[in-house]
Amino acid sequence: MLAGVERISIWAFADSGASEDDPGPVKIVKFADDGARLGISTLAKVRKSKSEWNKQLTPLQYNVTRRASTEYPFSGAFYNQEAAGLYRCVDCGSALFDSKAKFDSGTGWPSFWEPIAAENVREKKDFSIGVLRTEVQCALCDAHLGHVFTDGPEPSGLRYCMNSAALLFVPRES
């Protein structure tokens, strides 16, 4: 970032808002900040108006999570972070990824070989750039997180390529 100016990608699409095909409630796995699994909870979908999201999020966070945009490669806060901790949804706080599953994909975005719990993310077909990709969203609030690809490392062979702007990092205490 340049002197506090957020760069917004040219790849912005229509507001994704709440998913019409999954009205909720949803079951997610809750996690403590230290990564301890707390159990499955059934929760109402997080729904907010455009103005409520705009008040809560920075312009970059809004464009990424609510409009399915993407940040420029190598520009996000977490692409090369190696600290131990938990990655939560910046929109609703749901646990999404553990640093134990993070790897350097060389793409310029934080990459993980698995989510912290399959229940906490949802996958959706994405044709927005004219080719089929698999979009990854937060199951609790439908925030756009990034995409998943099949060129990742073992044991899953998957690469969850996420936007730093969609994530909130909670460091694990020693």
Side-chain angles (χ1 to χ4, degrees):
M1 278 197 281
L2 301 171
V5 176
E6 295 187 48
R7 294 170 59 185
I8 298 174
S9 170
I10 58 171
W11 301 310
F13 303 101
D15 282 310
S16 60
S19 175
E20 297 300 321
D21 58 343
D22 185 12
V26 295
K27 288 185 180 184
I28 65 162
V29 180
K30 291 198 143 201
F31 289 83
D33 285 345
D34 66 1
R37 186 182 173 111
L38 300 175
I40 296 176
S41 294
T42 301
L43 302 169
K45 283 269 196 175
V46 173
R47 306 257 191 234
K48 295 183 180 183
S49 68
K50 182 178 177 179
S51 65
E52 289 172 312
W53 287 123
N54 272 311
K55 287 178 189 171
Q56 174 185 330
L57 304 169
T58 68
L60 178 61
Q61 290 169 335
Y62 181 85
N63 280 325
V64 168
T65 64
R66 306 319 314 169
R67 298 188 69 221
S69 184
T70 191
E71 63 199 8
Y72 289 104
F74 304 101
S75 69
F78 305 130
Y79 81 89
N80 64 352
Q81 178 169 281
E82 296 178 12
L86 193 68
Y87 292 85
R88 294 186 175 276
C89 176
V90 74
D91 289 15
C92 71
S94 182
L96 301 170
F97 297 95
D98 192 297
S99 62
K100 294 174 187 173
K102 191 171 185 293
F103 68 98
D104 182 2
S105 64
T107 62
W109 289 281
S111 298
F112 305 85
W113 53 267
E114 72 176 352
I116 197 165
E119 297 89 340
N120 293 13
V121 298
R122 64 186 293 256
E123 296 179 6
K124 182 178 170 183
K125 289 181 182 178
D126 175 9
F127 295 101
S128 62
I129 63 169
V131 295
L132 177 60
R133 297 181 297 166
T134 303
E135 178 183 7
V136 180
Q137 295 179 335
C138 174
L140 186 56
C141 71
D142 295 324
H144 170 78
L145 305 171
H147 292 85
V148 62
F149 302 94
T150 58
D151 61 356
E154 294 301 325
S156 71
L158 299 174
R159 173 173 52 96
Y160 286 83
C161 190
M162 303 293 101
N163 289 284
S164 291
L167 304 173
L168 172 67
F169 180 71
V170 180
R172 188 169 290 125
E173 307 227 353
S174 306

